[in-house]
Amino acid sequence: MSKQITYNRIARLYDILDLPFEHGRYRPVRRVMFEGLGGDLLDAGVGTGRNFPFYPKDANVTGIDLSHAMLGRALWRKEKLGTRVELMEMNVMELKFADESFDSIASTFLFCVLDNEHQQPALEELRRVCRPDGVIHILEYVISGNPMRRFMMKLWAPWVRFAYGAEFDRNTEQYLDAAGLELIEKKYLYKDIIKLLTVRPKTE
């Protein structure tokens, strides 16, 4: 519940703190994030609803978040933009959906927030609710290989940990196989620090 407390606390300031990154970095990334997704779509870790403008027009979207305060901001954005999305307070490790409920799933920086011991359980839940022919997009930060960029990320890390409960080096990819997921593609969307993983449930 510590993550819930963190995001309930920061919700009012979240969009302000993220504003420089949102316009300079995240908006183009979010657009690519939803390419190829559609049908019944789960936005896992919907936050304040920054993904709303980029949802596929024909998708039936459900957005979940652990923080009721973040969802409050998302509801405000939903009404402002007229976005068609059902918002629900829910823990990604305890999804209240039936097996194979979604055609596609998007997770934007959620796994940067999840502690290492929670990575596989969360991935297993995403696999469970994803249809066998479905696809999952996972967007996450990665520690840069560039010396100067890496140095700056290390400087920022304590603040990111305090404010967001997040880390730059979760390396979610290492948990995919054990969670029953197959990596289809990985690519960098912003320099060498924001990576998109495209995965799907493994077939027997």
Side-chain angles (χ1 to χ4, degrees), residues 1-200:
M1 290 294 104
S2 63
K3 303 297 183 182
Q4 187 179 48
I5 293 169
T6 296
Y7 280 86
N8 284 341
R9 181 191 68 213
I10 204 173
R12 289 183 301 165
L13 300 174
Y14 186 89
D15 286 335
I16 296 172
L17 291 172
D18 252 23
L19 195 61
F21 301 100
E22 185 63 36
H23 290 283
R25 182 178 300 181
Y26 296 153
R27 290 183 69 83
V29 166
R30 294 184 197 278
R31 186 170 289 106
V32 176
M33 171 81 169
F34 287 94
E35 290 179 356
L37 303 187
D40 294 320
L41 192 160
L42 175 65
D43 188 347
V46 68
T48 64
R50 284 293 194 180
N51 284 334
F52 289 175
F54 306 98
Y55 288 160
K57 293 291 187 286
D58 60 347
N60 177 33
V61 187
T62 302
I64 66 158
D65 204 277
L66 184 64
S67 165
H68 64 82
M70 294 289 278
L71 286 170
R73 297 292 299 168
L75 179 60
W76 170 83
R77 181 164 279 117
K78 169 186 174 178
E79 293 172 348
K80 179 183 177 183
L81 299 178
T83 306
R84 290 171 47 249
V85 56
E86 182 179 6
L87 298 172
M88 306 176 71
E89 185 175 337
M90 202 176 297
N91 187 333
V92 70
M93 291 182 289
E94 300 173 357
L95 296 175
K96 297 178 175 63
F97 303 116
D99 294 357
E100 302 179 9
S101 291
F102 296 97
D103 299 297
S104 52
I105 299 172
S107 167
T108 312
F109 303 128
L110 170 64
F111 284 87
C112 298
V113 174
L114 295 177
D115 295 333
N116 292 338
E117 63 268 25
H118 297 150
Q119 297 275 318
Q120 185 175 328
L123 288 168
E124 288 173 350
E125 274 294 87
L126 295 188
R127 176 189 51 76
R128 180 183 68 78
V129 301
C130 185
R131 290 175 182 142
D133 58 349
V135 64
I136 303 171
H137 281 178
I138 299 171
L139 196 67
E140 68 173 355
Y141 266 96
V142 182
I143 288 286
S144 174
N146 177 280
M148 182 54 69
R149 204 174 292 141
R150 186 182 185 91
F151 174 72
M152 293 302 297
M153 293 181 81
K154 293 287 188 181
L155 283 182
W156 273 96
W159 160 251
V160 170
R161 189 177 304 118
F162 167 75
Y164 303 101
E167 302 284 352
F168 291 128
D169 58 352
R170 294 297 190 193
N171 190 21
T172 301
E173 184 181 339
Q174 67 182 308
Y175 304 100
L176 294 175
D177 185 64
L181 292 167
E182 176 186 4
L183 179 66
I184 303 171
E185 181 184 25
K186 60 179 175 180
K187 60 182 177 181
Y188 287 99
L189 301 187
Y190 181 82
K191 298 182 178 178
D192 66 341
I193 63 173
I194 296 181
K195 181 171 65 175
L196 178 65
L197 303 176
T198 300
V199 307
R200 64 187 176 196

